[in-house]
Structure formats: structure tokens, C-alpha cells
């Protein structure tokens, strides 16, 4: 597997877009839809990796912040990933950021 990761910043373009992940989590928890196998986020078609509780935490962070950080590897997205300075923790490993463009 490729060791390269991508760190993407998602900023909701509208007030309702802030609740998109929360809507997915709610429908999943209520049994209205099965576990999301793929999520289309902008041009990226990603498979979320993580539990329902971890997805809820991500969705709530997305609602209350002005942006969210997504860490992807190939077509997989780690919903529990975190970025701390120049270190990224995702997919059970630590990665060093080499290029950071904002």
C-alpha cells in the first residue's frame, strides 16, 4: 500500500453544508441507511474508516468548527485522524508533514 497520505481541508460553503456529515451520522444511527461505504466529498470518492461513534465525533466537530481536516490514503479516509503541528496521526501510524499549503 502506498504510504503517502493527503491532508484535505473541508470548509462548508453554506450553513446547511455544515450539517451534511451530521445528517449522514443520524440516518446511519437510526437505521434509515446502512453504514456509508463511500462518501463523495468534492471531487474525492472516499471510503470512511472508523466506527459509528468516531464518525459521530467527526460530524459534531465539523458542525461546531469552521473547517474540518480529512486525512486520506488512496481512496480511504480515516475519520479519527488528527493533525498536530507537523505530525499527522492516521491509519494507526504517525506521518510527518513535508509540504503544507494553505
Amino acid at each position: 500500500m502506498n504510504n503517502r497520505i493527503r491532508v484535505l481541508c473541508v470548509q462548508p460553503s453554506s450553513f446547511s453544508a455544515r450539517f451534511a456529515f451530521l445528517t449522514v451520522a443520524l440516518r446511519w444511527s437510526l437505521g434509515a441507511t446502512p453504514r456509508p461505504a463511500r462518501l463523495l466529498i468534492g471531487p474525492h470518492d472516499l471510503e470512511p474508516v472508523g466506527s459509528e461513534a468516531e464518525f459521530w465525533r467527526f460530524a459534531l466537530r465539523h458542525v461546531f468548527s469552521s473547517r474540518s481536516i480529512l486525512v486520506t490514503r488512496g481512496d480511504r479516509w480515516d475519520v479519527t485522524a488528527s493533525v498536530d503541528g507537523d505530525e499527522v496521526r492516521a491509519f494507526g501510524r504517525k506521518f510527518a508533514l513535508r509540504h503544507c499549503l494553505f
Side-chain angles (χ1 to χ4, degrees):
M1 177 179 260
N2 187 355
N3 284 333
R4 290 189 177 189
I5 60 169
R6 287 182 298 171
V7 178
L8 307 170
C9 180
V10 176
Q11 293 180 307
S13 59
S14 66
F15 184 74
S16 63
R18 290 181 98 161
F19 294 93
F21 294 113
L22 192 63
T23 302
V24 171
L26 184 61
R27 294 183 74 184
W28 178 14
S29 293
L30 294 175
T33 59
R35 178 190 188 343
R38 317 269 319 153
L39 288 174
L40 187 61
I41 303 168
H44 308 286
D45 185 16
L46 303 171
E47 171 191 353
V49 177
S51 70
E52 183 177 355
E54 292 163 339
F55 192 86
W56 266 101
R57 274 182 279 217
F58 174 82
L60 289 171
R61 278 194 317 264
H62 185 74
V63 168
F64 293 113
S65 67
S66 60
R67 65 179 174 209
S68 293
I69 302 296
L70 305 181
V71 178
T72 67
R73 182 189 225 176
D75 65 345
R76 296 174 58 209
W77 160 41
D78 186 354
V79 298
T80 63
S82 64
V83 178
D84 184 24
D86 63 348
E87 183 178 85
V88 178
R89 295 172 194 229
F91 302 103
R93 296 185 51 199
K94 291 181 186 178
F95 298 89
L97 285 177
R98 294 206 173 112
H99 303 287
C100 188
L101 302 173
F102 274 95

